[in-house]
Amino acid sequence: MTTIRSLQERYREFIAERDWDQFHTPKNLAEAISIEASELQELFLWHDNHEAETVKENSELCGRVEEELADVVIYCLGLATQLDIDLVDAVEAKLDENERRFDEQTADEITEDLQRWQRK
C-alpha cells in the first residue's frame, strides 16, 4: 500500500535525480501549489455549481481534474517534505481544530447563509 511517507520518498528521489532541489524552495513550492490550484479552478470556470455525480459523468473533465489535483498534492508533499512537516499529524490537528471551531450551531448558521446564496 502506498503511504504519504513513500510518496515523499519518491518525491525526494525524483527531485534529487534531476538536481532540482535547488529550485524546490518553500517559496517556489507555495507558488506552484497556488498555480496548480488555479489550473484546477479553471476547469470549472463558467460552469454551474454541479454536484459531484454530474461532474463524474464527464470522463474527460474528471481526467483533467485528477491530473491537476495530483499536481497540487505533489507540490504539497514537496513543501511538507522540504519543511519536515508530518502531513498526517498536520491534517489530523487541522481536522480536530475544525471540529471545535465549527460546532453544530456554527455549522448550521453557515449552512443557512450559504444556502441563501447558492445558485441552483
Side-chain angles (χ1 to χ4, degrees), residues 53-92:
E53 289 304 317
T54 303
V55 175
K56 288 192 284 188
E57 291 171 2
N58 183 332
S59 61
E60 180 183 344
L61 176 59
C62 271
R64 293 178 66 201
V65 167
E66 185 176 320
E67 288 176 16
E68 296 303 339
L69 190 56
D71 286 337
V72 170
V73 171
I74 289 167
Y75 286 124
C76 287
L77 284 170
L79 185 57
T81 301
Q82 295 291 341
L83 299 178
D84 296 324
I85 293 171
D86 184 313
L87 281 173
V88 172
D89 288 347
V91 170
E92 286 180 337

Side-chain angles (χ1 to χ4, degrees), residues 101-119:
R101 184 174 167 209
F102 300 107
D103 59 34
E104 188 175 340
Q105 180 182 346
T106 303
D108 287 346
E109 291 169 1
I110 291 170
T111 298
E112 184 180 318
D113 190 48
L114 289 173
Q115 286 174 337
R116 275 196 298 259
W117 295 99
Q118 177 109 11
R119 194 167 76 176

Side-chain angles (χ1 to χ4, degrees), residues 10 26 28 30 36 38 48-49 57 66 70 81 86 91 98 118:
R10 190 169 172 190
N28 287 346
E36 294 298 341
S38 293
D48 286 330
N49 191 14
E57 291 171 2
E66 185 176 320
T81 301
D86 184 313
V91 170
N98 286 346
Q118 177 109 11

Side-chain angles (χ1 to χ4, degrees), residues 3-5 10 12 18 40 47 74 93 107:
T3 64
I4 289 177
R5 199 172 305 271
R10 190 169 172 190
R12 277 189 204 97
R18 289 155 180 80
L40 177 61
H47 296 279
I74 289 167

Side-chain angles (χ1 to χ4, degrees), residues 34-53:
S34 178
I35 290 164
E36 294 298 341
S38 293
E39 290 178 9
L40 177 61
Q41 280 185 301
E42 184 180 26
L43 298 176
F44 297 98
L45 185 64
W46 310 120
H47 296 279
D48 286 330
N49 191 14
H50 297 297
E51 298 289 331
E53 289 304 317

